[in-house]
Amino acid sequence: MAARIPTLDLVKNYSEVKDEMLEAIRSVLESQSFIMGPEVRLFEEECESYLEGVSAVGCASGTDALLLALMALDVGEGDEVITTPYSFFATASSIVRLGAVPVFVDVDPKTYNIDLEKAVSAITPRTKAFIPVHLFGQMAPLEECIVEFERRGATIVEDAAQAFGATRIADGRIMRAGAMGRIGCFSFFPTKNLGAYGDGGMIVTTDEKIAGRLRRLRVHGADSTYFHDEVGLNSRLDTLQAAVLRVKLRHLEEWNEQRRVVAGRYYALFAENGLMGEVTIPFELQGNRHIYHQYVVRVKNRDELQKHLDREGITSRVYYPLPLHLQRCFSFLGKKPGDFPESELLSRETLALPVFPELAMEDQARVVGAIKEFYMK
Ligand SMILES: *Cc1c(COP(=O)(O)O)cnc(C)c1O
């Protein structure tokens, strides 16, 4: 029996960078400077030059990045924040955690990103922020709505947790995920396309005042140690994680490009095998450089297919089985099945297939072969 194909192979990834990584970690261990050591600022600087025109503030996780971003905007009770119901939980929990109301807007059935026209229609005088998610590694075309949101006094906070390095060409300019709106949030959870060896996150902003506030909020709201101007969080980016991320950032372009190669091979394999009717492959919007943090297809009989793949030694995942508006903890919002039909349909039909830079062509052929066997039997 051939080896099991995982959705992501971090062991293989580690073996590629092992020497650099051990050296980076050793240097932190020798300094014994674990909290806000020099690597944190160095990594922030490297992100600033990678993303161009932003200030970067490291923090403890992607969830905290969202929470800190909304705190820096004084989002609280009585405020509304527009977002998508088809995302990871943290996108909406950060809003609810601060006493504000998430106003869900359904997604575009092709890209699975929030429908921007509907998002603009959802603006009210109480809208304080808008959190679009660049889902699975593909950017939402925010240039279509930035002006309107800003004009109506709502700040755009991009949830770019799945899209470090994704770009978009629009209006003759290159836009980078996280650096299009006023604030962008990243996660370095180990399985993200830029993943640490533990938790980590980052907020980037084009607004220096907000950057200063974020730097204070991540250290208990203190401007200088033991003098607190406001109540913040304990949410720093760990120095060891910053050292790990500095090594990985050097390889990110190459890894993202390789993810695109893997996606291109899936496309060819599905086409050659006559599966384009059964399998809806990811749709890359004009101008986008999708970095395929996830390679998510849309199929009928999804759960049966997943079981079949599992029996064939192929791991796949469902992102996300229950849209956010139907989560029990948000039942107080009074949403019900049918309110966001596109998201609800996606939660029944999407399946994330193995995708990672090191994924071999033969393994992809096995994945597609197993899918063919399922639909053609
Ligand atoms: C991973 C993720 C987060 C949260 O990041 P953590 O680092 O796990 O806290 C937020 N939003 C989206 C879309 C994510 O995928």
Side-chain angles (χ1 to χ4, degrees):
M1 176 90 186
R4 198 170 176 85
I5 306 174
T7 48
L8 170 65
D9 191 342
L10 288 173
V11 173
K12 215 170 244 172
N13 183 267
Y14 171 56
S15 71
E16 281 173 62
V17 291
K18 193 167 180 174
D19 292 342
E20 285 172 90
M21 207 52 101
L22 290 176
E23 184 48 40
I25 290 171
R26 197 179 61 90
S27 135
V28 176
L29 293 187
E30 276 171 14
S31 78
Q32 288 289 302
S33 170
F34 297 118
I35 304 295
M36 297 299 277
E39 283 79 4
V40 174
R41 187 59 207 140
L42 289 168
F43 176 60
E44 287 172 347
E45 280 169 10
E46 285 156 7
C47 289
E48 286 166 357
S49 49
Y50 183 90
L51 294 168
E52 295 175 343
V54 292
S55 297
V57 181
C59 65
S61 70
T63 303
D64 276 5
L66 289 161
L67 193 61
L68 286 162
L70 296 181
M71 286 169 79
L73 297 173
D74 295 310
V75 167
E77 228 148 290
D79 293 327
E80 294 175 353
V81 179
I82 298 170
T83 194
T84 167
Y86 188 61
S87 179
F88 177 63
F89 180 66
T91 308
S93 69
S94 58
I95 301 165
V96 174
R97 197 70 194 74
L98 294 173
V101 178
V103 174
F104 293 119
V105 166
D106 213 352
V107 297
D108 173 303
K110 279 180 119 159
T111 63
Y112 317 154
N113 278 324
I114 190 165
D115 183 319
L116 295 175
E117 243 173 73
K118 287 187 186 146
V120 167
S121 315
I123 303 175
T124 74
R126 292 221 283 249
T127 308
K128 193 83 164 249
F130 170 42
I131 310 184
V133 179
H134 301 304
L135 200 68
F136 303 146
Q138 158 155 255
M139 289 179 72
L142 297 180
E143 73 281 357
E144 292 171 8
C145 68
I146 287 180
V147 173
E148 190 58 14
F149 272 99
E150 294 283 331
R151 189 181 72 78
R152 308 275 296 270
T155 304
I156 298 184
V157 177
E158 299 170 63
D159 183 340
Q162 303 185 1
F164 204 111
T167 57
R168 165 164 185 77
I169 293 172
D171 308 330
R173 285 195 306 136
I174 184 151
M175 323 270 189
R176 292 172 197 283
M180 263 189 108
R182 188 108 59 96
I183 306 181
C185 298
F186 293 100
S187 163
F188 306 124
F189 188 83
T191 59
K192 303 285 156 126
N193 70 306
L194 178 57
Y197 289 172
D199 276 307
M202 176 168 282
I203 313 119
V204 301
T205 176
T206 50
D207 185 326
E208 257 320 302
K209 278 234 300 275
I210 290 176
R213 180 100 187 267
L214 288 166
R215 291 210 164 84
R216 185 167 86 183
L217 281 167
R218 75 173 162 181
V219 288
H220 292 293
D223 250 337
S224 59
T225 311
Y226 307 127
F227 294 87
H228 302 268
D229 297 301
E230 62 180 323
V231 178
L233 302 180
N234 170 11
S235 183
R236 297 161 296 225
L237 176 61
D238 188 90
T239 307
L240 275 168
Q241 301 306 339
V244 166
L245 289 162
R246 290 187 69 205
V247 172
K248 285 207 178 181
L249 185 60
R250 297 202 281 270
H251 297 273
L252 187 71
E253 273 304 301
E254 164 204 330
W255 288 337
N256 280 346
E257 210 43 56
Q258 197 52 36
R259 285 173 178 277
R260 290 180 56 77
V261 169
V262 167
R265 291 199 300 236
Y266 270 131
Y267 175 90
L269 285 164
F270 283 126
E272 281 163 22
N273 284 281
L275 283 166
M276 289 303 206
E278 283 73 22
V279 177
T280 305
I281 62 164
F283 172 81
E284 189 176 42
L285 191 70
Q286 173 81 31
N288 270 355
R289 176 176 178 257
H290 194 322
I291 52 90
Y292 297 96
H293 168 62
Q294 299 293 352
Y295 188 88
V296 175
V297 298
R298 192 168 181 170
V299 292
K300 296 279 188 286
N301 300 327
R302 190 262 324 266
D303 294 343
E304 291 307 308
L305 173 63
Q306 187 175 32
K307 281 186 208 130
H308 170 76
L309 291 178
D310 187 55
R311 283 192 296 268
E312 296 297 311
I314 297 160
T315 311
S316 62
R317 304 239 185 265
V318 173
Y319 303 115
Y320 296 91
L322 186 66
L324 299 176
H325 66 286
L326 301 178
Q327 298 288 342
R328 192 191 307 170
C329 65
F330 296 150
S331 60
F332 69 94
L333 294 169
K335 298 294 171 199
K336 48 189 193 320
D339 284 348
F340 302 104
E342 301 294 355
S343 299
E344 291 167 31
L345 203 56
L346 287 171
S347 66
R348 290 194 289 275
E349 295 187 344
T350 52
L351 192 62
L353 301 179
V355 67
F356 50 95
E358 303 80 11
L359 182 60
M361 173 66 174
E362 305 82 73
D363 286 344
Q364 290 189 260
R366 251 180 76 200
V367 172
V368 174
I371 294 175
K372 183 171 184 175
E373 196 182 274
F374 179 78
Y375 286 107
M376 306 293 179
K377 67 183 172 224

